[in-house]
Amino acid sequence: MTILEELRTRNFSLYGQWVGLLSVIICLAVGIATIFSFNLGLIIFSAVCIATGLTLIFVEVPFLLRICPVSERFDNFVRKFNNNLPRAGFYLILALVQWFTLFIRGSSLIVAAVFLTIASSCYAIAALKKQEFTSSNALGGQGLAQQII
């Protein structure tokens, strides 16, 4: 199944996964860009944003757990998010952390907050519609995701 065919399935967990991958790129990019600010609060939130991006890579691309040496504790942590509702909650918490940067100063970290919120919404809609959690074939597919579970 191609990416376009996957998007036509109207499965919101697939939408969440693709927005989640965009969130990874955005978190890393804006985290690195903002870390060079001269505001200690923004530097801390930037470091958290970079850590968020690095963590989400393993959540959204499950085959990386097989090929990268990670601790059993981290592996078990990532496995907790193999359903729509836990992922929606995880993304919501990560988004809220980035939204809190508004208390310090508006910055590009808000873009990460927006994308994390959209990903959370997609996973929440999938959970509310009781759609099966599905992993994109382009990222290892459901067969590989089931091996990791």
Side-chain angles (χ1 to χ4, degrees):
M1 186 181 300
T2 67
I3 294 170
L4 289 176
E5 289 172 347
E6 286 180 352
L7 294 177
R8 289 186 192 124
T9 64
R10 297 184 187 202
N11 187 325
F12 280 87
S13 68
L14 287 173
Y15 300 158
Q17 185 174 26
W18 285 108
V19 175
L21 286 173
L22 287 173
S23 298
V24 167
I25 295 165
I26 289 168
C27 282
L28 293 174
V30 299
I32 291 168
T34 309
I35 206 162
F36 296 107
S37 69
F38 294 106
N39 184 317
L40 181 61
L42 283 181
I43 292 171
I44 292 169
F45 277 107
S46 295
V48 170
C49 194
I50 293 168
T52 295
L54 294 173
T55 303
L56 287 177
I57 289 173
F58 290 98
V59 171
E60 292 299 350
V61 187
F63 78 87
L64 290 178
L65 290 172
R66 293 271 191 212
I67 62 174
C68 295
V70 295
S71 70
E72 184 177 335
R73 185 175 174 190
F74 181 75
D75 190 32
N76 290 334
F77 173 76
V78 170
R79 287 174 196 256
K80 292 178 183 177
F81 306 109
N82 282 332
N83 286 310
N84 291 322
L85 198 56
R87 280 198 190 195
F90 184 55
Y91 271 96
L92 182 61
I93 291 168
L94 297 174
L96 288 173
V97 169
Q98 293 308 314
W99 282 114
F100 287 145
T101 62
L102 285 174
F103 291 120
I104 296 172
R105 188 177 83 196
S107 71
S108 59
L109 293 173
I110 299 307
V111 176
V114 168
F115 274 83
L116 291 167
T117 302
I118 293 169
S120 174
S121 299
C122 288
Y123 283 122
I125 291 169
L128 290 173
K129 292 178 92 176
K130 299 189 184 331
Q131 292 179 338
E132 182 182 346
F133 175 74
T134 307
S135 184
S136 173
N137 288 334
L139 301 172
Q142 203 55 15
L144 187 62
Q146 292 303 321
Q147 285 180 2
I148 293 170
I149 296 172

